Amino acid sequence: GDGLLHSPGLEFAFYGTPVKLLLANNTDVSEISPETNNSRVSALIARLVSKTVLDAVPDTDMFHRLLMCARLWAKQRGLYGQSHDFGYIGGMGWAICCAHVCQTTPQSKSLEQLFMAFF
C-alpha cells in the first residue's frame, strides 16, 4: 500500500510531495449503513478522525508545525511513508502522537520545546 486510505480523492505531487485530497461530505458517520460504499466510509472516518484530533489540541498552528517536523524527522530515517508496511506508524499515528504532546505540554511556547517534549 501507499499509506493512503483507499477512498475517493484527488492524488497529485506538489513540488515532489505526494498529496491526496479525500472527498467527503458532511454526512454524519452514524448514518453509515452496511450498504454504504467502503471508499465513502473510509473518507468519512478519515475526516472525522482528523477533525477530532484538531479539536483536541490547544493550538492548531503549533500542532501543524510539530507534525511537519516530526514527519520530516521520520522521513529522513525511513520511518514514514511506505514504512508502515514494515510495522512503523502511519500518518495518522504521527498526528495522534503530536496531538498528545500538544495536550500534555500546553505550557510549551515554542516549536523547539514541543519537539523536545515529543522525543
Side-chain angles (χ1 to χ4, degrees):
D2 62 0
L4 301 172
L5 290 172
H6 298 288
S7 54
L10 176 65
E11 292 183 68
F12 59 92
F14 184 74
Y15 292 104
T17 302
V19 176
K20 182 169 185 178
L21 298 176
L22 297 177
L23 302 176
N25 58 16
N26 265 344
T27 303
D28 186 354
V29 176
S30 64
E31 295 176 15
I32 296 173
S33 72
E35 294 80 36
T36 305
N37 178 314
N38 280 343
S39 62
R40 183 164 178 249
V41 171
S42 294
L44 290 170
I45 291 172
R47 183 178 176 279
L48 176 65
V49 170
S50 296
K51 182 180 180 331
T52 302
V53 169
L54 285 175
D55 289 347
V57 296
D59 183 342
T60 56
D61 181 54
M62 285 297 255
F63 164 73
H64 282 122
R65 292 170 59 201
L66 176 62
L67 182 57
M68 285 176 24
C69 288
R71 286 180 173 172
L72 177 63
W73 177 89
K75 282 181 186 179
Q76 290 175 337
R77 287 154 182 81
L79 303 175
Y80 183 79
Q82 299 283 341
S83 61
H84 72 281
D85 292 337
F86 301 109
Y88 297 109
I89 62 175
M92 187 53 71
W94 287 104
I96 291 169
C97 289
C98 289
H100 176 72
V101 169
C102 290
Q103 287 176 326
T104 57
T105 57
Q107 73 282 3
S108 297
K109 300 295 181 205
S110 71
L111 181 59
E112 182 180 6
Q113 288 176 330
L114 282 174
F115 198 69
M116 295 301 290
F118 187 88
F119 293 101

